[in-house]
Amino acid sequence: MASIIESGWLYLITHFSDFQLASMGSFLLHESVFFLSGLPFIYLERAGLLSKYKIQTKNNTSTAQEKCITRLLLYHFSVNLPLMIVSYPVFRCMGMRSSLPLPSWKVVLTQIIFYFILEDFVFYWGHRVLHTKWLYKHVHSVHHEYATPFGLTSEYAHPAEILFLGFATIVGPAITGPHLITLWLWMVLRVLETVEAHCGYHFPWSLSNFLPLYGGADFHDYHHRFLYTKSGNYSSTFIYMDWIFGTDKGYRKLKALKHNGVGVEDDSKQT
């Protein structure tokens, strides 16, 4: 398996420059993973399939879904792509490389775990700041236009927020200067995680059913249903930051009531 990966990587670095792989290659990989993982949830919602696993009963209109896709393409080409191009010299200075040999799986695994932990910490505080009154009104409210999220809404945000919270994603790699293949794996896993958190479905096979500290769709969906003053659940991947600082009290109370069979009136406000 390792030899196959190395052969494929050798082909890439032989036919493309470091700049092409790190900028255009990263952009194309991101777009492919993002849309291929996010689009199926639009189909599920429109077709009414697996509705018993849908967290909210409300569905988005086709117009709202199409608006999301159009805006995403605009933001990705006007914000994400230029950012990847501009970031290339910075990552090179920080030690990023694409040459052989590839890093060992132990190095890759250690770095990916570090990225997830650091990203979650930085994202939590950045997200809480975005829920202050002024920033929510002028910046973060764009992301909350979809009170019933679906996979692609994970990256639907104000350009300023894309840059602001994007820092949480790149700070780990910027510190460690990883191999490009590690950076790509981190990007793929982060995209899949955030799409799953916004998918709007809680399946029996969802990771949150097996990983105690993982938030997942049910945890984050609560955040989208409520007004910014009482939303909580600010973390991106895990739940311990919200637990430590008490910003998940409303969510835990709601879960406890439902677990005890108490009828709960959903006091969320759709925006």
Side-chain angles (χ1 to χ4, degrees):
M1 181 64 179
S3 60
I4 295 176
I5 296 175
E6 287 185 352
S7 298
W9 195 260
L10 179 61
Y11 176 86
L12 289 176
I13 61 177
T14 302
H15 291 80
F16 302 96
S17 67
D18 283 356
F19 173 75
Q20 289 173 327
L21 291 174
S23 56
M24 294 304 301
S26 296
F27 180 75
L28 292 175
L29 179 62
H30 171 274
E31 296 302 287
S32 300
V33 175
F34 177 70
F35 282 104
L36 287 175
S37 62
L39 285 173
F41 293 105
I42 288 183
Y43 173 75
L44 289 178
E45 190 173 59
R46 289 186 179 183
L49 299 175
L50 301 178
S51 57
K52 66 179 180 179
Y53 300 122
K54 198 169 185 301
I55 299 169
Q56 297 186 45
T57 56
K58 179 183 176 182
N59 288 328
N60 293 280
T61 64
S62 297
T63 302
Q65 293 171 337
E66 291 164 4
K67 173 190 173 184
C68 177
I69 295 173
T70 301
R71 292 282 184 87
L72 282 170
L73 290 172
L74 174 63
Y75 294 156
H76 285 181
F77 279 94
S78 62
V79 180
N80 292 16
L81 179 57
L83 184 61
M84 289 181 179
I85 294 174
V86 172
S87 300
Y88 172 72
V90 177
F91 277 98
R92 287 290 294 177
C93 290
M94 297 301 292
M96 185 191 75
R97 66 181 182 87
S98 60
S99 59
L100 291 173
L102 297 176
S104 68
W105 68 267
K106 292 182 180 179
V107 171
V108 173
L109 181 62
T110 301
Q111 290 182 337
I112 294 296
I113 292 174
F114 172 68
Y115 299 162
F116 266 114
I117 295 173
L118 182 60
E119 189 278 339
D120 196 65
F121 178 83
V122 175
F123 185 96
Y124 174 85
W125 291 110
H127 196 184
R128 283 193 68 172
V129 169
L130 286 173
H131 275 265
T132 55
K133 189 173 183 179
W134 190 91
L135 283 174
Y136 182 89
K137 178 180 179 181
H138 296 282
V139 179
H140 194 49
S141 59
V142 173
H143 181 63
H144 279 268
E145 285 180 19
Y146 293 89
T148 305
F150 52 94
L152 295 182
T153 60
S154 57
E155 295 192 5
Y156 183 89
H158 191 286
E161 178 176 341
I162 295 173
L163 296 173
F164 183 59
L165 290 183
F167 173 76
T169 302
I170 66 173
V171 62
I175 291 174
T176 63
H179 192 281
L180 181 58
I181 199 170
T182 305
L183 186 63
W184 280 3
L185 178 59
W186 160 238
M187 180 174 63
V188 168
L189 293 175
R190 181 71 183 98
V191 168
L192 292 177
E193 181 276 322
T194 191
V195 167
E196 193 272 338
H198 289 81
C199 75
Y201 290 82
H202 183 69
F203 302 110
W205 55 86
S206 295
L207 281 178
S208 56
N209 293 328
F210 307 100
L211 301 179
L213 295 179
Y214 184 80
D218 187 61
F219 186 80
H220 193 70
D221 199 277
Y222 174 90
H223 174 81
H224 274 264
R225 298 203 315 269
F226 287 79
L227 290 170
Y228 77 93
T229 52
K230 47 180 183 174
S231 58
N233 292 18
Y234 299 115
S235 299
S236 60
T237 304
F238 307 112
I239 62 174
Y240 64 88
M241 288 291 291
D242 283 284
W243 180 78
I244 291 172
F245 294 100
T247 47
D248 66 344
K249 290 181 179 178
Y251 172 74
R252 287 191 285 117
K253 180 180 179 181
L254 183 64
K255 296 292 287 185
L257 290 172
K258 289 184 176 181
H259 179 72
N260 293 327
V262 179
V264 179
E265 185 71 22
D266 187 358
D267 62 344
S268 62
K269 181 175 181 180
Q270 304 290 335
T271 57

